[in-house]
């Protein structure tokens, strides 16, 4: 059975069944009048929030990290207190651009850094943790769908987006008719819930208490069943679609599978974990539960009416039907026992995502229907089989998996391993694992797959996935490390040359991490061709006993050092454009500063990337070069930010000619653009001023030309560099 690749017939059948189920559910909702108001306006989104009444407060405080509803339409919620009433009243209003800025700066926020803030007295606040109390929250009973009256956290509807009969979008606070519709949805759900649970149309499975991610909803909300992640309106809508799409299937496995997948889609896009995201350039909208790969309950969230979910249905591709014999099986990759010419795998990595825990969210919706469609499948994520951790166990299971797959392919077979890169050090481990499994890397491709959430401020950078292409290592090749080094060097250079040839100077396609990973891959291409190096095989190195105990630092294995060398070569070889002539005479610290600047000018702000660069250049002291400590907000110090700091002092960078040059730029800026002081300073300080002059001028030109986009911290310094370069160029003594 194929859904993707099933061809036209499958696609049409699935489409017809799905739209019939959707239409029937829509007709029912329409009949109940749950998504339309008295004026005939259609709801587009319902916004809910948690509210809490601290012990010494007279009213419930609605919680949200921001009450900005829609930046594009400049709409916010302002809470009002009516005397004697313990529920606040939301006022949904349009505001001016100036006020909008304040709201973006969390004006009015009632939840900041884990504290509840009184909206009428920002000096009054309570920590959420202390409100939860030492014993934590009451755990919900399976059948509960809303909080009990005496629960700490209550929930309320605070805003609805409507489309009026003329097609205008309007945000409104809910009125009494809206609350009646909410009550009706709850009543309708309660009438059906027992039956629907029995038939498996809504989840009954408990949330595992011991998971890394799954313990979060239990601890922070008291939710114990997967159905608790959905509010009454959401459960009613999904239950209705489920009852329509999963009944009367007459054992049609294709339709059952498609219906389950669609329900998973609805669950993802419409839960109490669906956040509401506002943007300056387009109308706000609800997002999916797994916008991040976690299960973080939200204080305010959005729910979709059914009419806004038609587009969430999966349209299976019919253009590329699978014609070959195919089999879909689930199982532990260590137990695979069929032969394949090509194995394509996408392994989990170093606990980056807890798939087996997050998978339960979907399995809870598939429930018993899985057994109906696939008799030997279980609605169980089989957590105990999942490859986990990042230490010995992880490596061991990975080597077992890849050795098994290598055993089940012919000598001319191939493997393709996908790996979304995060930490290049982890990448080195993957290389060694595959190597130990008897595979040889023959090629590596970086494919742009993921854009970081929210996008990076400058430049258009994407997150890459590396595809490693591998063959079986059939040849018995034994080598010696000192012979391998030059081979690695050539391979890394070849790799970088080929990427640079593709890179367009104005708008580079490859980011720095891409180059580094390509360098790793190139090193691996050489290394994995050998069965042993200096008489030792890689398993020995991979599972080498690491020192234990406090403060013990694992010494790098010799193989790791070869891989690191690959990175170093890449670092040395990747010279920023325009600095080619000056480069050979620069020290490692100077090169690091300039390369970091080069990378930063293309929008990079991740400290990890700068750290990798420092590692590549073999420089220990990175932090003095950086400004801003936060992991994703790092940038390189400008000449003016350096000022006199550490000038000529103890650090390796502090006494380099480049550091003095930066000071001279700063002096030029400080002297209102007059380069004389800077030039005299250099002349006095540098023993070989005349010899250094040409390369210093080249560096100044490069600094002046660096595109720093909207970063005005550089504007004056770049101009200073330009003026000083002019002075140095015309210096005749
Ligand atoms: C990176 S994800 C794959 C994502 C998938 N390619 C996709 O696009 O949705 C890694 C997967 O490996 C699975 N996995 C973990 N341990 C496994 C094992 N021992 N055998 C087979 N699969 C395993 C995880 O459950 C997870 O679904």
């Amino acid at each position: 059975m194929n859904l993707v690749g099933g061809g036209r017939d499958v696609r049409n059948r699935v489409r017809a069944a799905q739209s019939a189920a959707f239409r029937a559910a829509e007709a029912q909702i329409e009949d109940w009048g749950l998504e339309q108001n008295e004026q005939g306006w259609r709801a587009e989104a319902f916004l809910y929030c948690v509210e809490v009444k601290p012990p010494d407060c007279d009213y419930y405080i609605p919680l949200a990290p921001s009450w900005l509803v829609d930046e594009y339409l400049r709409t916010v919620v302002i809470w009002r207190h009516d005397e004697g009433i313990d529920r606040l009243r939301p006022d949904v209003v349009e505001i001016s651009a100036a006020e909008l800025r304040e709201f973006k700066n969390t004006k009015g926020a009632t939840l900041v850094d884990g504290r509840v803030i009184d909206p009428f007295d920002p000096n009054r606040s309570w920590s959420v943790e202390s409100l939860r109390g030492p014993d934590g929250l009451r755990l919900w009973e399976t059948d509960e769908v809303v909080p009990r009256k005496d629960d700490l956290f209550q929930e309320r509807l605070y805003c609805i987006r409507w489309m009026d009969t003329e097609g205008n979008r309007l945000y409104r606070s809910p009125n009494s008719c809206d609350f009646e519709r909410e009550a009706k949805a709850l009543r309708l759900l309660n009438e059906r819930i027992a039956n629907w649970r029995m038939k498996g149309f809504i989840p009954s499975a408990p949330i595992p208490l011991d998971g890394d991610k799954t313990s979060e909803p239990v601890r922070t909300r008291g939710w114990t069943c997967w159905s608790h992640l959905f509010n009454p309106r959401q459960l009613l809508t999904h239950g209705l679609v489920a009852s329509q799409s999963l009944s009367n299937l007459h054992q049609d496995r294709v339709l059952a599978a498609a219906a389950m997948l669609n329900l998973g889609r609805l669950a993802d896009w419409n839960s109490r974990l669906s956040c509401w995201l506002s943007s300056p350039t387009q109308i706000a909208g609800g997002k999916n539960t797994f916008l991040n790969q976690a299960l973080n309950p939200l204080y305010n969230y959005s729910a979709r009416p059914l009419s806004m979910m038609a587009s969430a249905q999966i349209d299976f591709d019919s253009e590329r039907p699978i014609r070959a014999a195919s089999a879909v099986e689930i199982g532990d990759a260590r137990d695979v026992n069929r032969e394949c010419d090509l194995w394509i795998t996408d392994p989990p990595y170093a606990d980056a995502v807890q798939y087996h825990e997050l998978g339960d969210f979907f399995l809870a919706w598939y429930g018993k229907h899985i057994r109906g469609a696939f008799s030997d499948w279980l609605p169980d994520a089989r957590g105990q089989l999942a490859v986990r951790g990042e230490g010995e166990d992880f490596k061991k299971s990975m080597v077992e998996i890849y050795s098994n797959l290598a055993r089940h392919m012919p000598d001319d077979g191939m493997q393709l391993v996908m790996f979304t890169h995060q930490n290049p050090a982890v990448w080195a481990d993957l290389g060694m694992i595959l190597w130990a499994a008897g595979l040889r890397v023959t090629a590596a491709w970086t494919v742009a797959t993921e854009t970081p959430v929210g996008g990076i401020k400058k430049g258009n950078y994407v997150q890459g996935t590396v595809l490693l292409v591998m063959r079986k290592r059939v040849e018995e090749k034994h080598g010696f490390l000192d012979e391998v080094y030059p081979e690695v060097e050539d391979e890394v250079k070849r790799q970088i040359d080929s990427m640079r040839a593709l890179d367009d100077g104005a708008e580079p396609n490859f980011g720095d991490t891409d180059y580094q990973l390509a360098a790793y891959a190139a090193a691996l291409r050489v290394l994995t061709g050998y069965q042993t190096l200096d008489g030792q095989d890689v398993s020995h190195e991979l599972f080498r006993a690491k020192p234990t105990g406090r403060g013990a630092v694992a010494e790098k294995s010799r193989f790791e050092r070869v891989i690191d060398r690959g990175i170093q070569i890449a670092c040395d070889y990747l010279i920023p454009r325009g600095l080619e002539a000056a480069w050979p005479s620069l020290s490692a610290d100077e090169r690091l500063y300039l390369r970091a600047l080069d990378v930063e000018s293309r929008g990079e702000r991740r400290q990890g990337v700068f750290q990798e660069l420092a590692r590549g250049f073999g420089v220990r002291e990175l932090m003095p070069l950086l400004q801003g400590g936060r992991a994703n907000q790092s940038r390189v110090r400008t000449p003016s930010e350096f000022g006199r700091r550490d000038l000529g002092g103890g650090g390796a960078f502090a006494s380099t000619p480049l550091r003095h040059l930066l000071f001279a730029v700063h002096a030029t800026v400080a002297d209102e653009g007059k380069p004389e002081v800077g030039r005299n300073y250099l002349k006095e300080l540098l023993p070989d001023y005349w010899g250094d002059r040409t390369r210093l001028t080249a560096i100044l030109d490069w600094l002046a030309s660096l595109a720093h986009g909207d970063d005005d911290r550089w504007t004056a310094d770049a101009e200073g560099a330009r003026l000083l370069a002019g002075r140095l160029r015309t210096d005749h003594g």
Side-chain angles (χ1 to χ4, degrees):
M1 175 180 94
N2 289 306
L3 287 174
V4 177
R8 284 234 170 102
D9 172 50
V10 165
R11 183 201 203 175
N12 293 343
R13 232 150 43 80
V14 167
R15 259 195 194 170
Q18 287 298 307
S19 31
F22 242 81
R23 274 200 309 274
E26 267 180 331
Q28 178 64 86
I29 297 263
E30 176 122 20
D31 195 40
W32 286 332
L34 289 179
E35 296 182 352
Q36 234 174 329
N37 74 2
E38 301 59 51
Q39 292 135 285
W41 298 2
R42 293 199 152 274
E44 287 198 331
F46 300 95
L47 307 187
Y48 298 84
C49 69
V50 166
E51 54 179 5
V52 64
K53 189 165 178 270
D56 49 344
C57 188
D58 296 337
Y59 38 82
Y60 282 83
I61 300 178
L63 303 184
S66 162
W67 289 107
L68 180 59
V69 173
D70 196 318
E71 188 175 351
Y72 186 64
L73 296 182
R74 294 214 299 254
T75 307
V76 299
V77 169
I78 295 174
W79 291 97
R80 312 280 182 205
H81 185 200
D82 297 321
E83 233 4 81
I85 299 184
D86 68 359
R87 286 325 217 260
L88 303 185
R89 180 167 49 82
D91 229 355
V92 176
V93 290
E94 265 180 55
I95 51 169
S96 68
E99 285 173 303
L100 182 73
R101 270 195 294 280
E102 292 182 36
F103 270 84
K104 281 184 77 176
N105 263 333
T106 66
K107 179 182 172 179
T110 48
L111 193 94
V112 180
D113 296 334
R115 294 190 76 79
V116 173
I117 316 282
D118 184 342
F120 308 108
D121 179 3
N123 293 324
R124 221 158 63 122
S125 71
W126 302 261
S127 96
V128 174
E129 210 53 59
S130 70
L131 289 174
R132 271 197 212 108
D135 302 330
L137 298 176
R138 174 188 79 84
L139 298 183
W140 286 28
E141 308 275 336
T142 306
D143 276 340
E144 285 177 304
V145 289
V146 287
R148 276 193 210 154
K149 292 246 168 317
D150 55 354
D151 277 338
L152 174 71
F153 290 133
Q154 297 294 309
E155 186 178 71
R156 65 176 293 166
L157 175 67
Y158 67 92
C159 182
I160 304 173
R161 188 169 82 208
W162 298 102
M163 165 130 3
D164 72 9
T165 46
E166 252 117 67
N168 302 308
R169 285 169 153 153
L170 312 156
Y171 288 99
R172 292 288 182 268
S173 49
N175 60 24
S176 57
C177 299
D178 297 317
F179 287 122
E180 269 169 37
R181 277 186 281 274
E182 291 297 293
K184 185 172 178 180
L186 177 59
R187 203 177 58 245
L188 288 165
L189 175 67
N190 280 332
E191 286 165 13
R192 286 159 181 77
I193 197 160
N195 182 31
W196 278 2
R197 272 197 208 284
M198 199 176 65
K199 295 198 167 134
F201 295 149
I202 55 175
S204 307
I207 303 176
L209 299 176
D210 52 352
D212 194 31
K213 300 285 174 197
T214 52
S215 61
E216 182 87 1
V218 183
R219 189 179 65 81
T220 61
R221 286 307 158 81
W223 295 340
T224 55
C225 173
W226 288 106
S227 61
H228 299 158
L229 271 59
F230 302 85
N231 77 8
R233 191 179 267 284
Q234 293 169 325
L235 284 176
L236 183 67
T237 316
H238 298 185
L240 205 55
V241 175
S243 67
Q244 294 294 343
S245 57
L246 284 164
S247 305
N248 307 323
L249 288 176
H250 308 296
Q251 307 207 314
D252 187 328
R253 296 172 64 212
V254 167
L255 294 189
M260 283 186 270
L261 290 173
N262 267 317
L263 273 178
R265 212 35 175 324
L266 296 193
D268 185 27
W269 279 92
N270 194 31
S271 80
R272 278 185 164 130
L273 277 59
S274 300
C275 71
W276 182 250
L277 264 196
S278 177
S279 133
T281 50
Q282 60 188 45
I283 193 140
K287 294 289 165 195
N288 56 329
T289 305
F290 290 106
L291 185 64
N292 66 354
Q293 285 150 327
L295 283 168
N296 304 328
L298 304 166
Y299 289 100
N300 63 325
Y301 69 91
S302 61
R304 286 169 181 256
L306 184 60
S307 59
M308 295 295 280
M309 283 193 294
S311 61
Q313 290 181 72
I314 309 171
D315 199 6
F316 296 102
D317 184 359
S318 65
E319 299 309 316
R320 284 165 285 263
I322 296 174
R323 297 192 203 285
S326 64
V328 177
E329 289 163 9
I330 48 171
D332 187 339
R334 280 165 284 213
D335 299 335
V336 163
N337 57 10
R338 65 170 70 231
E339 280 279 306
C340 264
D341 292 332
L342 171 59
W343 287 107
I344 302 178
T345 49
D346 182 6
Y349 222 89
D351 277 349
V353 180
Q354 305 288 350
Y355 293 99
H356 55 287
E357 291 186 21
L358 306 181
D360 278 335
F361 172 91
F362 297 101
L363 287 171
W365 283 94
Y366 307 161
K368 54 181 78 164
H369 306 287
I370 282 212
R371 288 303 276 274
F374 309 96
S375 55
D376 53 342
W377 288 18
L378 290 171
D380 183 320
R382 304 217 207 161
Q384 68 284 6
L385 300 183
V387 172
R388 286 156 77 175
E390 44 191 321
E392 292 297 285
D393 287 348
F394 168 75
K395 291 188 203 167
K396 199 163 151 282
S397 22
M398 290 284 276
V399 172
E400 277 169 15
I401 287 176
Y402 285 97
S403 308
N404 184 38
L405 297 182
R407 268 196 304 278
H408 289 95
M409 73 186 211
D411 282 355
D412 61 351
M414 224 197 269
Q415 290 212 32
L416 199 104
V417 178
M418 303 177 56
F419 177 59
T420 301
H421 57 68
Q422 297 132 348
N423 176 358
V426 184
W427 219 83
D429 260 354
L430 176 71
M432 302 233 288
I433 286 166
L434 300 171
W435 189 3
L439 294 163
R440 176 169 65 89
V441 176
T442 55
W445 305 94
T446 310
V447 182
T449 47
E450 292 171 21
T451 314
V453 180
I456 289 180
K457 205 168 130 233
K458 255 187 290 170
N460 189 21
Y461 283 86
V462 284
Q463 198 86 317
T465 289
V466 177
L467 304 184
L468 275 185
V469 183
M470 287 167 315
R471 302 277 185 169
K472 230 184 216 184
R473 197 174 44 243
V474 273
E475 208 186 327
E476 288 247 338
K477 208 164 109 180
H478 302 278
F480 294 94
L481 275 172
D482 54 358
E483 291 167 1
V484 167
Y485 273 108
E487 245 188 282
V488 166
E489 184 158 340
D490 286 350
E491 193 62 21
V492 170
K493 286 181 178 168
R494 218 179 359 253
Q495 173 77 37
I496 289 173
D497 283 343
S498 70
M499 289 169 77
R500 285 195 137 185
L502 290 175
D503 239 347
D504 164 356
E507 185 70 50
N509 302 312
F510 295 114
D512 218 66
T513 339
D514 293 324
Y515 278 108
Q516 285 185 5
L517 288 169
Y520 268 119
L524 284 176
R525 249 191 330 259
V526 174
L527 285 172
T528 56
Y530 291 95
Q531 182 86 25
T532 63
L533 286 174
D534 289 353
Q536 302 224 306
D537 74 15
V538 67
S539 315
H540 174 266
E541 294 276 313
L542 187 59
F543 295 110
R544 210 164 40 103
K546 299 248 165 88
T548 50
R550 274 190 65 194
V553 181
E555 199 196 322
K556 285 197 173 166
S557 76
R558 289 166 317 147
F559 292 5
E560 272 176 283
R561 272 184 263 148
V562 183
I563 298 175
D564 274 0
R565 178 75 193 123
I567 297 278
Q568 267 170 24
I569 295 162
C571 270
D572 288 346
Y573 198 60
L574 277 169
I575 302 169
R577 283 168 214 257
L579 290 177
E580 291 83 353
W583 204 249
S585 52
L586 293 172
S587 70
D589 293 84
E590 292 174 306
R591 288 178 181 182
L592 171 64
Y593 178 82
L594 294 168
R595 274 272 286 143
L597 208 51
D598 184 37
V599 167
E600 183 212 89
S601 75
R602 287 183 263 124
E604 189 56 76
R605 291 287 181 276
R606 289 171 295 175
Q607 201 177 91
V609 171
F610 296 120
Q611 278 162 352
E612 272 307 307
L613 272 183
R615 214 160 78 89
F617 282 110
V619 171
R620 279 169 192 271
E621 293 179 321
L622 165 72
M623 294 323 280
L625 306 189
L626 297 186
Q627 184 88 6
R630 282 200 290 153
N632 286 329
Q633 293 300 325
S634 296
R635 53 182 192 79
V636 180
R637 281 213 164 106
T638 64
S640 292
E641 282 166 348
F642 267 120
R644 278 191 176 277
R645 189 190 293 256
D646 299 337
L647 190 61
F653 184 62
S655 50
T656 59
L658 175 60
R659 177 67 191 87
H660 293 302
L661 188 69
L662 296 180
F663 178 72
V665 170
H666 165 62
T668 306
V669 174
D671 205 17
E672 292 169 355
K674 293 201 255 336
E676 217 46 45
V677 178
R679 173 257 185 187
N680 292 344
Y681 171 80
L682 290 174
K683 213 165 155 186
E684 264 171 43
L685 220 105
L686 300 178
D688 187 18
Y689 170 77
W690 295 108
D692 284 342
R693 202 169 56 120
T694 315
R695 74 183 176 107
L696 294 181
T697 316
I699 295 173
L700 287 170
D701 284 341
W702 185 81
L703 289 175
S705 72
L706 261 192
H708 276 278
D710 56 2
D711 192 348
D712 23 318
R713 278 174 294 239
W714 265 97
T715 316
D717 283 355
E719 179 60 8
R722 193 184 67 78
L723 294 167
L724 186 61
R727 179 66 189 90
L728 259 54
R729 204 171 277 120
T730 54
D731 200 354
H732 301 296

